[in-house]
Amino acid sequence: MNKKIEIVAVVGTGTLGTQIAMQSANANYHVKIFDIREGSFQNTLKTNKDLERLVPLDKWPSCKKKIHQVKHLEEAVEEADLVIEAVPEDLVTKRKVWADIGLKTNPDTILATNSSSIPVSQLEESSGRPERCLNLHFYIGMNMVDVMKGTRTLPKVIETGINWVRSLECIPLTVKKELLGFCFNRVWRAVKREVLNMWANGFVDFRDVDRAWMIFNGMNESPERFGPFALMDKVGLDVIYDIEMVYYSDSKDSKDRPPKKLKEKIARGELGVKSGKGFYTYPDPEYMTPDFLNP
Ligand code: NAD
């Protein structure tokens, strides 16, 4: 029989952990959250406008009431049926967190990573229950989730994961065998690599890439319009860099290495929406102005 999910724990409540916690609360799950940074959940709610597309603003107060912030990892995960890890994209950090979660949860608790690039096969051993581990990769402000198994994940665990994703009113994108980047994220990643190199090597103005993307995708009139650079700002340029480094470490192909210019932006504190400046400046980025598509 499939495990019934009632209590969901989210570990790491930055950009994506906060979104996942709110989506879970909106679907009436009992949610517990833990982050090593005090106030991360509240601070993320202040800057993450994309969440409004998934959880309408008028439902935020009731969702927040269903989310319990705790001070220790153990309190968050000890009674959870499902734990979603959303800590930074670094294998060493994630393995450590997974090992801790593994020790502090019931053996039948399902563990998922929201990693954007690390297959769960690289984390499952540290959890102590590889048959109950999977990738559940959410997208910022979008109602779709990549679902991918590890080397020993039980079919009923994948089924439970897919049903849970559906219960959040998200579309599951099932990956049939391990693939770096999952389903749509691999497509998005190819776009990112290309446009970052075009910008860093001085071939184009990043604004033109975004303009072209918006026109190509019929976003001219959309209040939600964005191009690849605007989307990278939303994701966080530090997060983008870490993800690209995972691909580079895997391929060792210099074309996969994220450009130095991106690293320099990060060193200047230009992290995107969350720091108020990335490729664009916030809260009123240039790409949302009426003249942007016809400068
Ligand atoms: P983020 O930097 O906004 O948040 C990470 C949070 O984890 C921070 O609040 C940090 O304090 C916390 N943290 C760090 N170490 C911790 C620990 N040991 N225990 C508990 N909390 C800890 O990052 P993010 O953008 O939310 O990304 C988190 C994960 O989600 C990454 O694996 C990333 O690849 C993935 N992801 C991000 C996006 C995106 O659009 N940003 C989309 C899909 C997936």
Side-chain angles (χ1 to χ4, degrees):
M1 215 181 72
N2 280 354
K3 186 167 172 58
K4 195 166 178 342
I5 307 293
E6 287 172 355
I7 304 178
V8 176
V10 180
V11 178
T13 48
T15 309
L16 255 285
T18 295
Q19 173 182 313
I20 298 166
M22 289 291 278
Q23 285 181 278
S24 305
N26 194 35
N28 281 320
Y29 291 99
H30 184 75
V31 186
K32 295 190 177 180
I33 58 173
F34 169 72
D35 198 295
I36 51 169
R37 195 164 43 110
E38 213 178 310
S40 69
F41 176 70
Q42 283 79 4
N43 291 340
T44 307
L45 281 181
K46 279 185 211 146
T47 53
N48 187 352
K49 296 279 166 239
D50 295 286
L51 183 57
E52 291 172 33
R53 287 213 295 275
L54 298 169
V55 182
L57 213 46
D58 61 325
K59 294 213 176 146
W60 284 27
S62 62
C63 287
K64 284 199 259 178
K65 276 191 198 141
K66 286 182 217 147
I67 297 175
H68 302 273
Q69 294 185 59
V70 295
K71 288 204 161 29
H72 304 284
L73 176 69
E74 186 167 359
E75 289 171 72
V77 302
E78 63 192 349
E79 291 173 345
D81 302 303
L82 170 67
V83 179
I84 312 277
E85 164 273 309
V87 305
E89 192 76 344
D90 171 68
L91 188 56
V92 176
T93 307
K94 286 200 190 274
R95 279 198 175 133
K96 192 182 166 304
V97 170
W98 270 59
D100 273 2
I101 296 172
L103 290 174
K104 288 166 180 154
T105 42
N106 292 318
D108 67 340
T109 298
I110 297 175
L111 306 191
T113 178
N114 181 52
S115 168
S116 300
S117 55
I118 301 169
V120 74
S121 63
Q122 294 184 25
L123 299 169
E124 60 188 20
E125 247 359 286
S126 37
S127 76
R129 86 282 310 269
E131 63 290 349
R132 287 189 167 71
C133 299
L134 74 167
N135 284 97
L136 289 177
H137 171 254
F138 285 71
Y139 290 80
I140 188 166
M142 294 177 209
N143 66 335
M144 58 188 190
V145 179
D146 292 305
V147 182
M148 190 171 85
K149 60 189 173 190
T151 63
R152 276 174 276 170
T153 315
L154 297 169
K156 67 178 182 187
V157 169
I158 290 291
E159 203 183 317
T160 302
I162 288 174
N163 289 338
W164 180 71
V165 165
R166 288 210 171 100
S167 75
L168 303 188
E169 296 181 10
C170 285
I171 311 295
L173 308 171
T174 310
V175 183
K176 296 180 189 169
K177 48 186 180 177
E178 185 175 303
L179 178 66
L180 193 60
F182 324 119
C183 178
F184 185 72
N185 213 33
R186 195 169 169 107
V187 177
W188 159 231
R189 195 268 151 165
V191 173
K192 262 185 308 184
R193 183 184 60 175
E194 224 33 55
V195 300
L196 280 170
N197 280 322
M198 287 161 71
W199 158 74
N201 291 308
F203 289 111
V204 291
D205 184 320
F206 69 86
R207 296 171 194 82
D208 275 341
V209 173
D210 276 6
R211 277 184 191 107
W213 184 272
M214 292 176 194
I215 294 165
F216 183 75
N217 286 294
M219 294 175 174
N220 308 35
E221 306 296 329
S222 169
E224 306 283 1
R225 70 189 187 191
F226 58 82
F229 288 96
L231 186 49
M232 284 191 270
D233 271 358
K234 287 170 191 270
V235 171
L237 300 186
D238 50 342
V239 176
I240 295 284
Y241 186 87
D242 290 345
I243 294 168
E244 295 308 294
M245 280 305 287
V246 174
Y247 285 98
Y248 171 60
S249 310
D250 183 67
S251 72
K252 311 276 189 303
D253 181 342
S254 60
K255 289 198 211 87
D256 285 338
R257 186 175 206 140
K260 233 195 242 160
K261 248 177 114 172
L262 181 63
K263 199 168 187 184
E264 288 163 8
K265 277 181 94 58
I266 296 164
R268 290 195 297 271
E270 296 172 20
L271 306 181
V273 178
K274 62 186 168 190
S275 71
K277 183 163 170 50
F279 286 100
Y280 299 94
T281 44
Y282 298 87
D284 299 310
E286 188 186 341
Y287 69 84
M288 289 306 292
T289 57
D291 295 341
F292 184 72
L293 291 180
N294 192 10

